[in-house]
């Protein structure tokens, strides 16, 4: 079998008119982005990844030539809380990896790179490095942090006079930099930084393995922090840090609000964690980017799975607000609505991309919509004002789990429109048949695993040779953090999607206080 990736082109609705939302209302004219700028990781607050620039076409693409190449010029490693801003000095440490999408404002590109989360300003026309911030002393926290190399960008802020660049460091500090000089803004937080671990204010015994992978979402004077935690594949503890989403004032660094993605006792959703498991369960962060509707004043949080990704016997219930799109007020953090995409996740089906905001006309009715892509290959389309599905979701029965202590949720939501854009589930007819011999070998291998439709639960490794469950899409299938792109001129939504099935196996883990953890098993090649 062959691994492959596909590009799905999704027409959101037959006969529907679809447009990108316009940045207006609460945005001041002096700070509104200029045409062609790219001030957010996903182009605009609504994460459409669309640009109106049209100089490059299919006809002249072949004539493109390299204009410039940026080679990082990095100064000495940081030695104090103040960090350093360098020009074109002699490099003393290197950037090995970058997953960042630069933002562009006023002709300058701003980007983050490497495990150190260095930040650079680059002239967009010439490629000249204007400055580079080489980081700060984080007391060793950065070396122990999760998601070290996944710093995917920075946040940009301006009030029409000042300009700031916000970056979340590997060790979980929020830093404000002067966009002109690259130096830390002394009036922000403490000498330019806010210690996010202290601000998290978790009030029970926990493991502080929390960090960040997506850039802060900056809108108006609010800086929202999407937290990322250590991957929940095989945790050694059912206790972990909860991934609360926090927001800070862009000028002072003072915390404005925090949203409890794992509700505390007495809060809405606490009863969806049986046996008070909300008191110790962690993860449930927002490691994917956040989206914003400027007109409504709402932010949309794509929340990930709880601890752990493949076993939930210690956290029975539907587990709000895990695996949910949560709409909150930008200024207060008050929950406006939520919609859970996967109940009691045991497949690593966290929400891994920013919701895309589009305006639609469906059956003659205008709809402010939100499209949430997923690892399971569904596009969940919601009314972003109310949180209700634009087209109905059906709660369909799914296979039960026989893993000790586990209680899989009996149904899962299936959108009736649009159709899935990725192949789902496994059965014997999906096995290769290039030759009779290969077909027989494939059937022999498949008999060692459980096969079934989408949402077939993980299963135990057994002495009889059973090796777990083949499930499709797997935890790295479907849509990931790159998200999709929406073209308002054609009403087409482009979705990069990956056929990435996986093995979901469980076994006793004597090192963990959970009954079962994910067992060994490589990602399937398909």
């Amino acid at each position: 079998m062959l691994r492959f990736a596909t590009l799905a082109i999704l027409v959101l609705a037959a006969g529907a008119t679809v447009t990108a939302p316009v940045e207006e209302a609460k945005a001041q004219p002096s700070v509104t982005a200029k045409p062609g700028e790219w001030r957010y990781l996903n182009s605009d607050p609504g994460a459409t990844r669309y640009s109106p620039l049209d100089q490059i076409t299919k006809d002249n693409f072949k004539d493109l030539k390299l204009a410039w190449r940026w080679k990082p010029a990095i100064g000495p490693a940081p030695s104090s809380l103040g960090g350093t801003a360098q020009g074109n000095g002699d490099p003393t440490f290197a950037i090995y990896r970058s997953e960042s999408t630069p933002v562009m404002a006023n002709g300058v590109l701003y980007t983050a790179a490497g495990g150190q989360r260095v930040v650079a300003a680059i002239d967009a026309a010439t490629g000249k490095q204007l400055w580079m911030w080489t980081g700060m002393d984080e007391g060793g926290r950065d070396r122990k942090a999760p998601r070290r190399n996944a710093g995917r960008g920075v946040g940009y802020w301006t009030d029409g006079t000042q300009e700031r660049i916000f970056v979340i460091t590997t060790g979980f500090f929020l830093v404000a930099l002067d966009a002109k000089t690259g130096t830390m803004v002394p009036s922000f937080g403490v000498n330019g930084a806010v210690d996010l671990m202290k601000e998290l204010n978790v009030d029970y015994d926990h493991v502080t393995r929390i960090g960040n992978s997506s850039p802060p979402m900056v809108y108006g004077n609010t800086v929202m922090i999407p937290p990322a935690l250590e991957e929940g594949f095989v945790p050694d503890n059912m206790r972990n840090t909860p991934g609360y989403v926090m927001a800070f004032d862009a000028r002072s660094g003072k915390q404005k609000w925090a949203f409890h993605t794992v509700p505390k006792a007495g809060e809405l959703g606490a009863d969806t964690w049986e046996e008070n498991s909300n008191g110790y369960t962690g993860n449930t962060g927002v490691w994917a980017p956040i989206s914003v509707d400027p007109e409504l004043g709402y932010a949309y949080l794509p929340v990930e799975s709880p601890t752990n990704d493949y076993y939930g016997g210690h956290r029975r219930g539907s587990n709000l607000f895990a695996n949910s799109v949560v709409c909150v007020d930008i200024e207060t953090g008050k929950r406006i609505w939520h919609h859970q995409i996967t109940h009691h996740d045991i497949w690593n089906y966290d929400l891994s991309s920013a919701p895309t905001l589009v305006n639609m006309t469906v059956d003659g009715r205008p709809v402010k919509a939100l499209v949430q892509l997923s690892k399971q290959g569904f596009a969940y389309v919601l009314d972003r004002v109310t949180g209700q599905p634009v087209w109905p979701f059906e709660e369909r029965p799914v296979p039960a789990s026989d893993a000790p202590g586990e209680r899989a949720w009996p149904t899962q939501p299936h959108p009736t429109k649009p159709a899935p854009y990725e192949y789902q589930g496994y059965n014997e007819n999906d096995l290769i048949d290039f030759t009779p011999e290969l077909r027989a070998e494939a059937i022999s291998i498949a008999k060692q695993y459980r096969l079934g439709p989408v949402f077939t639960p993980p299963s135990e490794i057994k002495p009889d040779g059973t090796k777990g469950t083949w499930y499709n899409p797997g935890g790295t299938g479907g849509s990931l953090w790159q998200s999709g792109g929406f073209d308002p001129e054609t009403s087409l939504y482009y979705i990069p999607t990956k056929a990435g099935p996986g093995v979901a196996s469980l076994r006793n883990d004597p090192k963990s206080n959970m009954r079962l953890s994910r067992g060994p098993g490589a990602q399937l090649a398909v």
Side-chain angles (χ1 to χ4, degrees), residues 3-24:
R3 176 183 293 278
F4 63 93
T6 59
L7 178 69
I9 302 177
L10 174 66
V11 181
L12 288 175
T17 302
V18 191
T19 59
V22 178
E23 186 171 350
E24 55 181 327

Side-chain angles (χ1 to χ4, degrees), residues 108-170:
V108 180
L109 295 170
Y110 301 96
T111 189
Q116 298 90 0
R117 302 272 171 100
V118 300
V119 180
I122 306 162
D123 186 289
T126 67
K128 178 183 177 182
Q129 181 175 295
L130 304 176
W131 55 258
M132 175 170 281
W133 180 73
T134 58
M136 54 182 277
D137 183 356
E138 301 188 69
R141 272 175 23 186
D142 52 324
R143 292 189 294 274
K144 300 176 182 178
R147 320 283 179 120
R148 292 188 63 197
N149 285 307
R152 295 183 178 127
V154 298
Y156 172 83
W157 172 86
T158 182
D159 61 1
T161 303
Q162 300 180 67
E163 290 181 283
R164 292 181 182 179
I165 298 299
F166 289 96
V167 64
I168 304 169
T169 68
T170 310

